[in-house]
Amino acid sequence: MTTLHTLGFPRIGARRELKQAQEAYWAGTLQRSELEHVGRELRARHWAAQAEAGISLLPVGDFAWYDQMLEWNCLLGAVPPRFGQDAGEPVDLDTLFRMARGRAPSGTPAAACEMTKWFDTNYHYIVPELHPSQTYRIARDSLFEQVAEAQAQGHQAKPVIPGPLSWLWLGKGDAYTSAGDSAKLDLLERLVPVYREVLARLADQGVEWVQIDEPILVLDLPDAWQRALLRVYDQLTAGPVKLLLATYFGGLNDNLFTALALPVAGLHLDLVRAPEQLAAVLPRLGDKKILSAGVINGRNIWRTDLDKALALIEPARAQLGERLWLAPSCSLLHVPVDLAHEQKLDAELKGWLSFARQKLDELALLAQALDAPAEAAEALAGQRAAIAARATSPRIHNPAVQAYMAVLDGVSRDRQSPFETRISAQQQALKLPAFPTTTIGSFPQTREIRALRRDLKKGALSEADYDAAIRREIEQCIRYQEEIGIDVLVHGEAERNDMVEYFGELLEGFAFTQNGWVQSYGSRCVKPPVIFGDVSRPQPMTVAWSAYAQSLTDKPVKGMLTGPVTILQWSFVRDDQPRQKTCEQLALALRQEVLDLEDAGIRVIQIDEPALREGLPLRRADWPAYLGWAVDCFRLSTGAVRDDTQTHTHMCYAEFNDIIESIAAMDADVITIETSRSNMELLKAFEDFHYPNDIGPGVYDIHSPNVPEVDWIVGLMQKAAANLPAERLWVNPDCGLKTRGWEETRSALENMVQAARRLRDAG
Ligand code: GLN
Ligand code: ZN
């Protein structure tokens, strides 16, 4: 019998029960005991679903109140001093929540821990805060309690824990300069004994296998870290539990020999992202180790081509027999819970999809195909038919798009003239003052605006009434900006639910789920659109709103679009063609929209690319290829406009250093970026590079309700002007204002305009 396991199951619940319970608890409307009850129920349900599907080793520790890394930070007692944790006391739930969010029903508020993206996913983890004198101890018992809980329900528990090297790599601290700073390795001396203690306690509980996650093994690792892995795992494997070393999100590549040399009892490989590594591992695995083959995609929602998966693993089966285990490629955290809750997707499309619950069945079928091929034949044939139906469906192939794609090489991505020529044409057309002011696009999404959309969906509001109401919002937004004296106006994005969903709903080739929620961080979940086929734009998407806004004023109003890379990055993307191709199709659709905006008299057009940086591959060697096509797609969407049409782009908080050359290659006339929280530190990349085009460093943090003072904004801009030419600078907030209230928005923008006036007077 083939052993099946999962690296983790989504914890939020098919109806986001965890989110609701947590938020109610934070708001004080749910008791602690009720919250804990919801957690227990979800765990029991998820274990039962997995056991029923035939998974024999069940993950424990994949459940987390906010984030699995945060749980581990707490278990290790790595609680920053500002949370007032008593060194001898267990870390309680409210301390965990205070670390995540700054506040909890009990305990003194303190600055929350930093949160950042988990590898190349859209999940965010709470960053461990490291300090050279930090000590560790087992400070939270929930993992052990959950092991007992699973065992009491008759399951074989396989605890899932972050490995010490990955934990350190992902941590930050003032004493450390980078993820790979080897000074962090000094902490191992105190960390490893606690890991050993954890493993010993789990062994006492009767645990046989522990999954220890070292996803950093798919990154470029310095030698010191490779050596540390060897040293540490020698110490961790001395006890009675067996360790399954889990790697995912990529291939081991140059870390292969390190991974194979570790004295662990089993190794998990991501064979979806990196199937080729199997051939390299098999001859070197030895005659004792278990190999866990991650063959079902934990990062996407398509049904698996099981024939292909079988062909891949059959040589492994022949060599290893029952030493071959099967699993999803990574934790199923990154996919929605259950397709059965989708009532509105049509049957054809539904037949192509597989969510976490369905992936368990695929895994079981794969095992059956190995163990009892005759019995699996019928189900395999069904799966084969579904895969074939998708491949040949006319719904995914659009001849008009294909025809356009065929001549893509001949389409120019370049603007007509270089920046210097363009900017003077634009200055003549737009007549903007020095230090022009603008905003990033959205204005507060009030409860009233959201109610309009809800009523339209319910049918309680007619299309015409909705339209009229949005127009009123736009008019108010334009009047307000005129009144306070902003130079380049926006229409306010009142008609948009979300910057990707809005476009997806208007493009062909996209589908939307009802319950396809995926955890983004804490209680926040996102419902990514599904790009299933060729993307095209049946009709203009934003022109009517933008043209209406422009008709209200003589000042320029920015057309506002979401860029191709960002739409791609925040969707589930078809897997039957390279991502680059899908991105190009998006870019072509946006290119048409840009030209239509220009035809409609829109003189400034912004294409947001906040996700450009986060799309970077995990390995540096793969960066140039990605950046090449990502930049190309942006240029494809913007390149066709006249010299005197001004293009803008926007990016949120990011390390710009690594990609500054690519940002410059995008050749947007103006870029607005998030810089205020870093006190303009992030601008340094642009300064050092002598970034040639216009730039608007954000002057106030839209994530906070605090209103920036005029002096403070002037100070930030002077700092920017010290290292960049003043005539290239714009004054704008860090990002869109949709999450803010009107009151603080008004004060902040008025101060911003005042600051710009003062800068002009001073110059
Ligand atoms: N134009 C968008 C807005 O203003 C940009 C949001 C973003 O960068 N995340 O809301
Ligand atoms: Zn932003």
Side-chain angles (χ1 to χ4, degrees):
M1 277 279 285
T2 305
T3 300
L4 301 180
H5 74 120
T6 69
L7 279 65
F9 196 80
R11 49 189 163 250
I12 52 172
R15 305 202 172 281
R16 287 182 298 161
E17 294 89 331
L18 188 59
K19 170 198 178 72
Q20 266 107 40
Q22 294 194 136
E23 288 177 355
Y25 175 70
W26 297 334
T29 56
L30 195 79
Q31 301 288 314
R32 163 89 64 106
S33 57
E34 295 169 306
L35 176 68
E36 276 163 355
H37 177 75
V38 172
R40 255 193 316 276
E41 290 254 310
L42 284 169
R43 289 192 294 271
R45 197 196 301 162
H46 297 155
W47 286 324
Q50 295 177 80
E52 255 166 51
I55 310 295
S56 52
L57 275 175
L58 298 182
V60 177
D62 54 343
F63 180 87
W65 286 114
Y66 198 95
D67 161 47
Q68 72 272 10
M69 284 293 275
L70 176 60
E71 293 280 352
W72 194 247
N73 305 343
C74 291
L75 183 145
L76 293 174
V79 179
R82 64 182 179 280
F83 296 100
Q85 174 65 41
D86 199 322
E89 294 293 311
V91 177
D92 84 333
L93 187 59
D94 278 2
T95 300
L96 180 150
F97 282 143
R98 283 188 301 133
M99 288 168 72
R101 325 176 41 246
R103 53 184 63 244
S106 72
T108 316
C113 296
E114 189 184 332
M115 183 165 75
T116 198
K117 275 166 60 72
W118 180 245
F119 296 84
D120 61 351
T121 72
N122 285 330
Y123 178 77
H124 301 73
Y125 72 96
I126 301 286
V127 177
E129 281 184 35
L130 307 178
H131 189 272
S133 61
Q134 199 164 40
T135 57
Y136 309 101
R137 66 191 167 98
I138 296 180
R140 202 170 144 77
D141 280 335
S142 44
L143 177 67
F144 310 106
E145 289 161 8
Q146 288 167 23
V147 166
E149 207 176 288
Q151 290 168 335
Q153 289 160 32
H155 303 306
Q156 193 182 348
K158 178 202 61 180
V160 177
I161 67 175
L165 278 307
S166 291
W167 188 76
L168 289 177
W169 183 278
L170 296 167
K172 291 186 186 170
D174 290 340
Y176 310 104
T177 55
S178 66
D181 189 336
S182 59
K184 288 179 177 177
L185 299 173
D186 295 343
L187 296 173
L188 284 168
E189 203 184 322
R190 272 167 271 147
L191 198 53
V192 171
V194 182
Y195 267 84
R196 295 184 51 160
E197 220 181 300
V198 170
L199 295 177
R201 267 183 72 173
L202 292 171
D204 286 346
Q205 288 185 283
V207 164
E208 185 187 358
W209 282 95
V210 171
Q211 173 188 322
I212 190 156
D213 287 2
E214 290 287 12
I216 63 164
L217 278 163
V218 309
L219 305 180
D220 300 316
L221 284 187
D223 287 349
W225 287 73
Q226 304 218 18
R227 284 196 304 274
L229 276 157
L230 292 166
R231 207 170 57 237
V232 164
Y233 277 83
D234 266 338
Q235 297 168 42
L236 291 184
T237 45
V241 292
K242 295 182 186 149
L243 292 185
L244 174 69
L245 182 77
T247 68
Y248 42 82
F249 301 149
L252 292 167
N253 303 18
D254 52 334
N255 299 322
L256 181 89
F257 290 95
T258 306
L260 284 170
L262 302 181
V264 291
L267 176 64
H268 173 84
L269 302 177
D270 183 337
L271 296 180
V272 172
R273 280 270 176 98
E276 68 289 345
Q277 59 180 337
L278 182 60
V281 166
L282 277 181
R284 303 180 172 91
L285 192 69
D287 53 10
K288 287 202 189 61
K289 255 183 206 160
I290 295 289
L291 181 71
S292 161
V295 284
I296 305 285
N297 195 344
R299 294 287 297 274
N300 214 334
I301 39 73
W302 305 107
R303 260 171 101 160
T304 312
D305 182 340
L306 292 179
D307 290 332
K308 216 168 118 201
L310 273 173
L312 179 70
I313 56 179
E314 259 153 9
R317 168 72 169 205
Q319 178 186 325
L320 303 173
E322 296 201 345
R323 282 198 291 134
L324 176 72
W325 294 5
L326 298 181
S329 58
C330 59
S331 167
L332 296 171
L333 178 68
H334 311 289
V335 293
V337 182
D338 193 350
L339 192 60
H341 295 281
E342 298 302 322
Q343 272 93 38
K344 293 209 177 127
L345 285 178
D346 64 81
E348 182 181 22
L349 201 56
K350 237 173 130 170
W352 302 345
L353 302 178
S354 169
F355 292 178
R357 180 64 192 77
Q358 287 67 42
K359 286 173 190 283
L360 303 176
D361 294 335
E362 292 187 316
L363 208 53
L365 180 52
L366 209 51
Q368 195 182 35
L370 292 178
D371 297 337
E375 283 156 48
E378 198 184 317
L380 275 180
Q383 183 95 353
R384 197 171 299 134
I387 300 292
R390 181 179 157 215
T392 52
S393 168
R395 283 173 73 185
I396 68 173
H397 306 290
N398 180 332
V401 176
Q402 295 299 336
Y404 207 162
M405 292 290 286
V407 298
L408 199 59
D409 284 349
V411 177
S412 169
R413 279 75 163 154
D414 294 334
R415 297 286 296 271
Q416 281 160 17
S417 311
F419 174 73
E420 308 83 71
T421 313
R422 286 175 350 231
I423 196 74
S424 57
Q426 292 160 19
Q427 267 153 358
Q428 277 196 358
L430 300 171
K431 304 206 168 33
L432 299 174
F435 295 105
T437 50
T438 192
T439 61
I440 307 307
S442 59
F443 267 70
Q445 279 264 342
T446 56
R447 198 171 316 138
E448 292 74 31
I449 296 177
R450 280 189 300 241
L452 290 174
R453 216 170 352 264
R454 208 165 40 240
D455 290 348
L456 175 70
K457 258 198 180 139
K458 275 199 315 226
L461 191 70
S462 73
E463 197 76 54
D465 289 343
Y466 174 77
D467 225 75
I470 295 289
R471 280 172 183 249
R472 278 195 297 278
E473 290 293 334
I474 291 176
E475 176 163 14
Q476 277 171 25
C477 185
I478 295 286
R479 293 289 166 253
Y480 170 71
Q481 294 169 84
E482 281 188 318
E483 191 186 302
I484 66 165
I486 296 209
D487 301 303
V488 174
L489 313 192
V490 296
H491 74 289
E493 301 182 22
E495 79 288 7
R496 301 189 190 171
N497 39 0
D498 170 274
M499 64 186 288
V500 170
E501 195 170 336
Y502 177 78
F503 290 94
E505 281 176 345
L506 296 170
L507 289 166
E508 291 243 299
F510 278 76
F512 292 86
T513 63
Q514 283 166 285
N515 287 296
W517 297 103
V518 178
Q519 189 177 18
S520 171
Y521 61 86
S523 68
R524 192 173 149 72
C525 301
V526 294
K527 200 151 58 76
V530 177
I531 307 181
F532 67 84
D534 287 344
V535 175
S536 63
R537 187 198 70 145
Q539 55 206 16
M541 304 180 283
T542 63
V543 177
W545 302 122
S546 288
Y548 172 67
Q550 185 64 79
S551 76
L552 299 169
T553 177
D554 292 333
K555 291 206 170 171
V557 178
K558 270 197 276 194
M560 196 60 63
L561 304 174
T562 301
V565 182
T566 299
I567 296 181
L568 186 83
Q569 232 7 73
W570 293 349
S571 301
F572 284 120
V573 181
R574 59 192 289 192
D575 61 352
D576 57 349
Q577 67 179 19
R579 287 169 75 82
Q580 172 178 356
K581 284 271 157 299
T582 305
C583 200
E584 286 166 355
Q585 294 180 357
L586 286 162
L588 286 174
L590 289 162
R591 181 181 175 97
Q592 294 166 344
E593 184 75 11
V594 165
L595 289 174
D596 282 347
L597 283 168
E598 187 180 58
D599 278 348
I602 305 300
R603 290 166 288 168
V604 183
I605 301 170
Q606 176 170 316
I607 301 204
D608 293 322
E609 282 293 21
L612 189 102
R613 171 112 192 16
E614 64 184 54
L616 275 180
L618 295 172
R619 296 270 192 177
R620 273 210 182 240
D622 300 327
W623 285 16
Y626 162 75
L627 287 169
W629 62 253
V631 169
D632 182 70
C633 285
F634 181 85
R635 290 159 50 92
L636 194 55
S637 27
T638 52
V641 294
R642 295 193 312 259
D643 276 353
D644 62 353
T645 297
Q646 186 167 72
T647 59
H648 286 218
T649 190
H650 165 71
M651 291 182 192
C652 303
Y653 180 90
E655 289 296 336
F656 296 113
N657 276 318
D658 296 330
I659 56 162
I660 186 68
E661 220 167 307
S662 301
I663 294 178
M666 289 164 71
D667 201 23
D669 294 313
V670 183
I671 183 171
T672 54
I673 55 169
E674 188 167 330
T675 42
S676 78
R677 263 191 298 179
S678 75
N679 217 345
M680 301 275 145
E681 273 305 305
L682 292 174
L683 205 54
K684 205 168 171 323
F686 291 82
E687 296 164 2
D688 294 348
F689 188 76
H690 301 290
Y691 182 78
N693 299 9
D694 277 19
I695 176 164
V699 289
Y700 83 85
D701 178 10
I702 58 91
H703 301 287
S704 136
N706 300 340
V707 173
E709 299 292 336
V710 178
D711 285 344
W712 190 73
I713 298 177
V714 170
L716 283 180
M717 287 305 299
Q718 282 169 339
K719 211 167 161 185
N723 297 305
L724 286 164
E727 62 275 17
R728 298 272 69 86
L729 291 175
W730 287 62
V731 184
N732 47 261
D734 266 345
C735 194
L737 302 163
K738 59 181 163 242
T739 57
R740 296 269 60 94
W742 260 106
E743 202 177 323
E744 75 241 24
T745 296
R746 276 200 194 91
S747 319
L749 289 181
E750 282 157 30
N751 286 356
M752 187 184 91
V753 172
Q754 277 239 318
R757 293 201 174 119
R758 214 190 284 166
L759 288 159
R760 283 169 208 154
D761 293 346

